[in-house]
Amino acid sequence: MVDHISIDVTDAKQCAVPKDKFRINKYNFGTPFEDLVHTSAPYLHFQVLQPKDEEQRDKAIAYFNEHGKLYATSVNSMDILLYVGCTESIYIKSSIAEVDPEEFKSLIAQAYHWFRFYGKEDQDEK
């Protein structure tokens, strides 16, 4: 299985992933966080991380690599999507489900591409 996906969509003019394929859930279980989730099975969940600078981003990526965490990022953005799991429903506290590794690879790339186009819309509403 992959440990991370790096994508460069600098020149992309439109999103190749339908807007309704993913969504962002906002949670506050003591600490607020955003969860980008696939809107149909398998319900893959990614925590949206937005490091404040390159140093913080580099430290996060080093930690993820050292501890075998799965994540997606691009060469031209600070944002990181940290894979947190797959569930049986769209909500992160539902039962854990399995995902086919090949489907996972496709969906993690789609999730990051979607986030680059549509994820910022949700953040602008804050």
Side-chain angles (χ1 to χ4, degrees):
M1 188 175 249
V2 299
D3 64 350
H4 72 281
I5 300 285
S6 294
I7 302 166
D8 183 358
V9 293
T10 305
D11 296 327
K13 303 294 182 223
Q14 63 184 24
C15 189
V17 180
K19 190 172 185 175
D20 64 350
K21 190 161 187 171
F22 293 91
R23 72 181 236 187
I24 294 180
N25 290 331
K26 296 178 183 182
Y27 293 103
N28 191 344
F29 302 123
T31 302
F33 72 95
E34 292 183 342
D35 170 48
L36 185 141
V37 62
H38 190 233
T39 56
S40 62
Y43 298 99
L44 298 181
H45 296 266
F46 302 91
Q47 183 176 2
V48 177
L49 302 173
Q50 297 174 310
K52 65 180 179 183
D53 56 32
E54 279 289 330
E55 181 181 0
Q56 190 178 48
R57 182 180 186 271
D58 291 346
K59 285 180 181 179
I61 289 173
Y63 176 87
F64 300 151
N65 288 335
E66 182 180 334
H67 292 89
K69 303 295 182 187
L70 303 172
Y71 62 92
T73 189
S74 76
V75 296
N76 56 346
S77 174
M78 297 287 286
D79 303 320
I80 302 170
L81 296 182
L82 176 63
Y83 176 67
V84 293
C86 183
T87 61
E88 291 181 0
S89 82
I90 203 161
Y91 299 104
I92 201 164
K93 285 198 164 192
S94 66
S95 300
I96 295 173
E98 294 200 20
V99 62
D100 174 72
E102 290 304 312
E103 189 171 13
F104 174 82
K105 283 191 255 184
S106 173
L107 288 172
I108 191 172
Q110 290 178 47
Y112 197 86
H113 187 65
W114 182 96
F115 180 75
R116 290 294 309 268
F117 279 87
Y118 304 120
K120 303 295 183 185
E121 289 177 5
D122 257 14
Q123 293 168 0
D124 293 340
E125 296 171 8
K126 287 182 186 177

